[in-house]
């Protein structure tokens, strides 16, 4: 409420300034008129900025849902595989006022690239994302192991292993695979991501760097 009251007070000051300037300024006083115009603009900028701040505060007041643990009852919303039974990064995406794939939030995935593919499709339908979580391999004791010719990374379905996708650095298309082949493996620190890349290859990407073509390329591997 204090922010809203401040906006009102600035608005009242603006009216007062305009009134006082118009009373003091002679009709043909260009210099005074210039000062009045500048003062008014400064007040308007302040008022607009304050209004924006209040608006943003309102938008940010919506709570971000917390991640949940994935159990033997949770199947991937793209491929249908039971998530904890397979290696690699997993993901969860929450949507506002929408039930993903006929069940309550979040949408659940046994690979990061499937989560992005699903999310791109839902955003195209006008859905609003509330939170996008991925496995943070900087926050867990992960294992690298082999099955035949495949090099795999362990899965971590516990809630504490998830971090907002916007907060990780992804290693994309490394030699290490997950449940659905080459993937995006997230790390909560740049240092951990670079160390993984140095050992297993791939490229680095932030959440905003991930494109539809990147995901399509991983899906085709």
């Amino acid at each position: 409420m204090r922010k809203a009251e401040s906006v009102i007070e600035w608005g009242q000051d603006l009216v007062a300034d305009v009134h006082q300037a118009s009373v003091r300024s002679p009709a043909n006083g260009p210099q005074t008129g210039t000062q009045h115009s500048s003062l008014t603009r400064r007040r308007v900028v302040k008022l607009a900025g304050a209004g924006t701040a209040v608006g943003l505060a309102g938008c940010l007041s919506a709570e971000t849902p917390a991640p949940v643990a994935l159990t033997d009852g949770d199947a991937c919303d793209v491929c249908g595989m039971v998530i904890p039974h397979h290696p690699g990064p997993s993901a969860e995406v929450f949507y506002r006022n929408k039930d993903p794939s006929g069940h309550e939030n979040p949408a659940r995935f046994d690979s990061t690239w499937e989560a992005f593919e699903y999310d791109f499709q839902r955003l195209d339908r006008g859905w609003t994302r509330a939170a996008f979580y991925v496995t943070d391999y900087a926050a867990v004791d992960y294992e690298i192991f082999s099955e035949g010719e495949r090099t795999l990374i362990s899965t971590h379905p516990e809630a504490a292993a998830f971090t907002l996708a916007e907060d990780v650095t992804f290693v994309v298309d490394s030699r290490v695979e997950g449940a659905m082949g080459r993937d995006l493996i997230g790390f909560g620190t740049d240092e951990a991501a670079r160390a993984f890349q140095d050992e297993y290859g791939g490229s680095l990407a932030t959440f905003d760097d991930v494109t539809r073509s990147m995901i399509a390329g991983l899906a085709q591997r």
Side-chain angles (χ1 to χ4, degrees), residues 33-50:
T34 300
Q35 293 173 344
H36 162 234
S37 176
S38 176
L39 175 63
T40 302
R41 280 196 297 271
R42 286 199 299 272
R43 287 287 188 182
V44 169
V45 169
K46 277 188 175 181
L47 186 61

Side-chain angles (χ1 to χ4, degrees), residues 158-216:
E158 62 273 18
F162 289 105
T163 297
L164 287 169
E166 294 91 338
D167 295 338
V168 305
T169 299
F170 291 108
V171 181
V172 184
D173 199 19
S174 72
R175 294 189 299 277
V176 176
E177 300 182 22
M180 300 302 292
R182 300 272 181 119
D183 210 341
L184 304 92
I185 301 175
F187 294 86
T189 68
D190 291 341
E191 293 77 14
R194 290 194 185 95
F196 189 89
Q197 180 196 32
D198 288 343
E199 187 167 358
Y200 300 107
S203 59
L204 300 183
T206 66
F207 181 80
D208 291 335
D209 293 331
V210 178
T211 63
R212 295 167 190 257
S213 60
M214 179 190 293
I215 297 306

Side-chain angles (χ1 to χ4, degrees), residues 79 81-83 85-89 110-111 113-114 150 152-153 177-183:
C79 68
M81 297 198 304
V82 177
I83 297 170
H85 294 182
H86 300 278
D110 63 356
S111 72
W113 73 257
E114 286 177 309
R150 300 179 68 193
L152 303 169
I153 191 168
E177 300 182 22
M180 300 302 292
R182 300 272 181 119
D183 210 341

